[in-house]
Amino acid sequence: MKDGKLVTLAIESSCDETSAAIVLEGRQVLSNIIASQIKVHQVFGGVVPEIASRHHLDNVNRVVDEAMKEAGLQMGDVDMIGVTYGPGLVGALLIGLATAKAYALAAGKPLIGVHHIQGHICANYIAHPDLEPPFMALVVSGGHTNIVEVTDYNQCRVLGQTRDDAAGEAYDKVARVLGLGYPGGPKIDKIAKEGNPAAVEFKRVFLEKDSLDFSFSGIKTGVLNYVNSRKQAGCEINTADVAASFQQAVLDVIAAKTIGAALKMKKDKIVMAGGVASNSRLRAMMEEGCKKEGLALYCPPPVLCTDNAAMIGCAAYYKYQAGERDELTLDAVPHLPL
Ligand code: KG4
Ligand code: ZN
């Protein structure tokens, strides 16, 4: 406890960020240390799971120590330990989970396993102190694209998800085709600002009528085919135009389905979460669409959109308040359903 408030030590290691945070009463972040491996994986053009695990192992104790130090707390002050146990890369998850279990056992603190997507959604509670459920959530990251109906802090229902690539994955793959490097999302976001989103007509994939699912693999192939046919014809490729056109096609579908879901389920708030939620065009489109429909829009700052432990600490706190505790036998679940 600190000043009568519950203290959570949280650990996140599901992909390529090793992070530890100290969160007070679920929403007040005292520290949020993130060791990014982007530079390590950049040379491979994507995350290499085995290498990610090794770096998590090298970094995890240091980020926990730094998080404790920055918060000015000792392990004795901690009331619970929250940790991501899925979904994610199994080797990466195991490092964070084993570390959390070790601290929980050594310090005699309760362990609380958190679903990574639940964590992403909870980033909004940190960023917006007055936000409360119910609302519609759009989770768009490198591994996930979900429309989630959030009815309470620990209750939600997935209404739609991707049937193939995640939105961030599509950004990363298209960026690779365009020679923009990894991670592609921020690079496409930047270069698209100089391009014409109507320059190339890429198909908007809405799937069956009323479906809230997504499919992004077709547009990825569409970009590849466009680039190859231009090259074969000896024509120049305007990278900014292709990036802007790809982005617009993807975001038209994401924005329409998310706003449509909120209206259909009679929600007056939409929250955005995940790495792609920091995309400037998506934010602008969602702001415009929500304003038109009279919906409130919430989005965390970029540092809380991408993977971080503070969001996991927030989710753990609400599970703790609901009486949930996990055994030290808790295992990593790479394809954990929401
Ligand atoms: O949430 P996150 O850090 O990791 C996962 O849980 O997957 O998301 C990473 C993804 C990457 O695919 C990255 O390219 C994408 O988020 N991303 C963006 C932007 N910033 C990060 N995509 C589009 N625009 C951005 N500004
Ligand atoms: Zn994530």
Side-chain angles (χ1 to χ4, degrees):
M1 284 271 190
K2 182 180 176 352
D3 307 331
K5 294 177 176 172
L6 285 168
V7 175
T8 307
L9 162 64
I11 300 175
E12 153 67 37
S13 69
S14 65
C15 189
D16 61 342
E17 261 101 25
T18 324
S19 180
I22 297 290
V23 182
L24 274 195
E25 213 66 12
R27 295 196 182 211
Q28 194 186 338
V29 180
L30 295 190
S31 60
N32 189 21
I33 310 296
I34 305 166
S36 171
Q37 300 180 17
I38 283 183
K39 287 216 156 55
V40 175
H41 299 283
Q42 229 156 19
V43 283
F44 303 103
V47 178
V48 183
E50 185 58 27
I51 295 176
S53 309
R54 284 164 194 263
H55 281 270
H56 284 307
L57 196 54
D58 285 344
N59 291 332
V60 71
N61 290 109
R62 179 178 59 79
V63 297
V64 171
D65 289 348
E66 270 184 48
M68 297 295 299
K69 196 171 160 208
E70 198 175 300
L73 296 181
Q74 312 285 328
M75 200 52 80
D77 301 318
V78 170
D79 295 291
M80 71 194 91
I81 298 178
V83 62
T84 307
Y85 74 107
L89 304 169
V90 68
L93 288 165
L94 281 170
I95 307 296
L97 188 57
T99 307
K101 285 181 190 176
Y103 283 115
L105 181 66
K109 308 291 179 183
L111 177 77
I112 301 180
V114 170
H115 192 291
H116 184 74
I117 301 290
Q118 183 68 24
H120 271 301
I121 293 170
C122 285
N124 281 280
Y125 296 133
I126 295 171
H128 309 286
D130 299 328
L131 176 66
E132 284 175 15
F135 49 75
M136 195 58 71
L138 167 68
V139 185
V140 268
S141 72
H144 315 277
T145 309
N146 293 310
I147 293 178
V148 185
E149 182 186 21
V150 178
T151 46
D152 210 337
Y153 286 104
N154 294 305
Q155 260 172 15
C156 64
R157 189 160 64 107
V158 178
L159 301 183
Q161 58 199 319
T162 183
R163 294 186 186 169
D164 39 57
D165 292 348
E169 197 180 350
Y171 266 89
D172 293 339
K173 286 176 177 170
V174 165
R176 196 180 311 168
V177 170
L178 295 176
L180 296 173
Y182 174 86
K187 302 213 158 114
I188 289 187
D189 191 355
K190 190 161 172 237
I191 198 170
K193 290 194 171 94
E194 293 148 32
N196 172 10
V200 189
E201 180 66 26
F202 291 118
K203 199 167 179 287
R204 274 79 174 146
V205 181
F206 281 93
L207 301 168
E208 307 81 33
K209 189 178 173 296
D210 295 333
S211 170
L212 293 175
D213 281 350
F214 299 95
S215 170
F216 298 118
S217 67
I219 186 161
K220 178 189 67 190
T221 315
V223 175
L224 188 64
N225 289 345
Y226 174 82
V227 169
N228 286 342
S229 63
R230 296 284 292 180
K231 274 186 188 161
Q232 273 164 12
C235 301
E236 252 191 48
I237 296 159
N238 183 324
T239 307
D241 279 354
V242 181
S245 301
F246 153 77
Q247 170 165 271
Q248 193 61 40
V250 165
L251 300 185
D252 275 348
V253 178
I254 293 179
K257 290 204 180 213
T258 309
I259 292 170
L263 296 176
K264 187 176 163 193
M265 304 309 289
K266 306 212 177 337
K267 299 286 181 292
D268 59 1
K269 294 174 233 170
I270 292 181
V271 316
M272 290 164 58
V276 184
S278 55
N279 181 274
S280 58
R281 182 83 192 118
L282 176 59
R283 285 185 182 220
M285 286 171 65
M286 289 297 292
E287 266 164 31
E288 200 188 316
C290 286
K291 200 172 160 198
K292 205 169 131 213
E293 298 296 346
L295 304 167
L297 180 69
Y298 298 83
C299 198
V303 68
L304 291 174
C305 281
T306 44
D307 292 347
N308 68 89
M311 66 185 197
I312 302 303
C314 178
Y317 167 82
Y318 285 108
K319 289 186 86 172
Y320 180 91
Q321 291 295 54
E324 292 188 36
R325 309 283 185 270
D326 281 299
E327 298 292 331
L328 292 180
T329 50
L330 181 70
D331 209 352
V333 186
H335 299 287
L336 185 66
L338 193 59

